[in-house]
Amino acid sequence: MGTVPPVTEEAGTPSLVFVREYGFPGNGDGQFYLPQDVYVSVMGDISTGLGNIFVCDTGNNRIERFDDNGSFSYQFGRFGADPGKFNSPVGIAVDFNYYIYAVDQENSRIQKLDIRGNPVASWGAYGSGSGQLMNPRGIALDTFGNIYVADAGNDRIQKFDSSGYPIGSYGGFGRGNGFFDNPQDVAVDRDKNLYVADTNNNLVQKLDELGRPLLSFGSTGNNNGEFYRPGGITVDDHYVYVSDSGNNRIEIFSRQGKFLSANGKKGVGPGDLNNPTGISVGRTGELYVADTNNHRIQKFKVVINR
């Protein structure tokens, strides 16, 4: 039986080219107020036949859904603490069974909803015990349906099964490898490694599936490979993409932590950014960014400069 060759980054330097933007300030259909996360489901949705772009419209306390061309499909949620309502939704993920997992930050819980936004389950409560949450932020799924949450206020990553049962906790406050300070986001690669936006330490940390440190990269600053309050992270088969929120740019690294490119600057034009946060890779490799303070989602194509 042959062996599978390791996945490595493509030869050349990746960079981002602006494709389109979604939304503008407001509270109507297809509008946003401080959106903090975007998620693109990698599976086609035969149950609705609609597009797969989901946005945490944080300031409007709702989730919005769009097709691949940016057309509004539908929305659900409003302010509140009852099932299906939100108080600052800041993170979102969708599994292969079309269940939606939303980080309901100010309600200190994770909500599980069906594809139309009907509540299925929720878990979490304010606190620092197992399964409790304090200022939860980013969320990610692995290929087995396990859920990872950046429990920022507790300086840890918590792992849950798909029903919300806590099955792991990684980290704790600190500055060394495997410790965090206000981690804002988490991503999982196909080898089950975790990538954590260790925000107040201005680092990215990579851990194995048991939470053991593998490597870290970054430092405080605005030069290439440095960060100022990194707020979002995602990974594909080749690269790690980081929302360097305080520097208003997206940085691209190899999965081994090598800096490859920096993209964007503060502004309101196409490709400009203002406090970018959540970030997601689409089905065909495009990158979607929650351009939070510009009240929009931007879509970029990843190009390889050889």
Side-chain angles (χ1 to χ4, degrees):
M1 183 175 179
T3 59
V4 178
V7 175
T8 57
E9 64 265 23
E10 294 185 29
T13 303
S15 62
L16 302 180
V17 174
F18 172 81
V19 175
R20 64 172 303 132
E21 65 181 62
Y22 304 68
F24 53 91
N27 58 13
D29 291 349
Q31 299 174 350
F32 304 121
Y33 182 55
L34 299 173
Q36 293 200 29
D37 202 13
V38 56
Y39 187 86
V40 183
S41 175
V42 297
M43 300 291 288
D45 184 359
I46 60 173
S47 67
T48 64
L50 299 174
N52 295 299
I53 302 166
F54 299 83
V55 178
C56 278
D57 185 14
T58 306
N60 287 320
N61 295 297
R62 64 185 180 182
I63 305 298
E64 296 193 77
R65 185 177 183 177
F66 297 81
D67 69 18
D68 294 337
N69 295 317
S71 297
F72 171 81
S73 297
Y74 58 82
Q75 60 168 293
F76 54 88
R78 57 190 174 91
F79 176 77
D82 294 333
K85 297 180 181 179
F86 303 107
N87 188 352
S88 295
V90 294
I92 189 168
V94 183
D95 70 15
F96 291 147
N97 295 314
Y98 310 117
Y99 286 112
I100 297 167
Y101 301 86
V103 179
D104 190 6
Q105 182 184 50
E106 295 299 320
N107 285 324
S108 302
R109 66 184 179 185
I110 308 301
Q111 292 204 62
K112 181 178 181 178
L113 311 108
D114 69 17
I115 200 66
R116 286 290 188 176
N118 299 304
V120 174
S122 69
W123 60 88
Y126 183 84
S128 57
S130 177
Q132 295 181 327
L133 301 163
M134 191 181 298
N135 190 32
R137 299 286 303 184
I139 189 168
L141 306 175
D142 66 20
T143 55
F144 296 95
N146 297 310
I147 301 154
Y148 301 81
V149 178
D151 187 9
N154 286 316
D155 303 301
R156 64 185 179 184
I157 304 300
Q158 287 207 69
K159 181 180 180 180
F160 301 88
D161 68 17
S162 60
S163 64
Y165 184 80
I167 53 177
S169 178
Y170 313 126
F173 176 75
R175 299 189 182 279
N177 290 335
F179 296 92
F180 309 119
D181 186 356
N182 193 35
Q184 298 284 296
D185 204 7
V186 58
V188 187
D189 68 19
R190 70 174 188 171
D191 298 319
K192 298 185 286 186
N193 298 309
L194 306 182
Y195 300 78
V196 180
D198 186 8
T199 303
N200 286 5
N201 284 327
N202 292 303
L203 289 174
V204 169
Q205 294 203 50
K206 182 178 180 180
L207 316 174
D208 70 13
E209 62 180 302
L210 299 178
R212 296 173 297 200
L214 297 174
L215 60 88
S216 64
F217 52 92
S219 60
T220 304
N222 58 13
N223 294 317
N224 290 341
E226 297 177 339
F227 304 116
Y228 182 52
R229 295 186 293 104
I233 192 165
T234 194
V235 61
D236 62 17
D237 284 345
H238 302 290
Y239 306 118
V240 180
Y241 307 87
V242 182
S243 288
D244 185 13
S245 305
N247 286 321
N248 300 295
R249 64 186 181 182
I250 306 300
E251 293 195 82
I252 306 177
F253 298 82
S254 74
R255 296 204 305 174
Q256 291 72 44
K258 177 185 176 182
F259 170 81
L260 298 174
S261 72
N263 306 265
K265 60 180 176 59
K266 187 171 184 179
V268 298
D272 294 338
L273 299 163
N274 190 353
N275 189 33
T277 49
I279 189 168
S280 181
V281 177
R283 287 177 292 175
T284 55
E286 298 90 352
L287 196 72
Y288 295 76
V289 179
D291 187 8
T292 300
N293 287 13
N294 281 329
H295 311 287
R296 66 185 178 183
I297 304 299
Q298 292 204 64
K299 177 181 178 180
F300 297 90
K301 180 179 179 181
V302 181
V303 298
I304 308 299
N305 305 302
R306 304 186 188 280

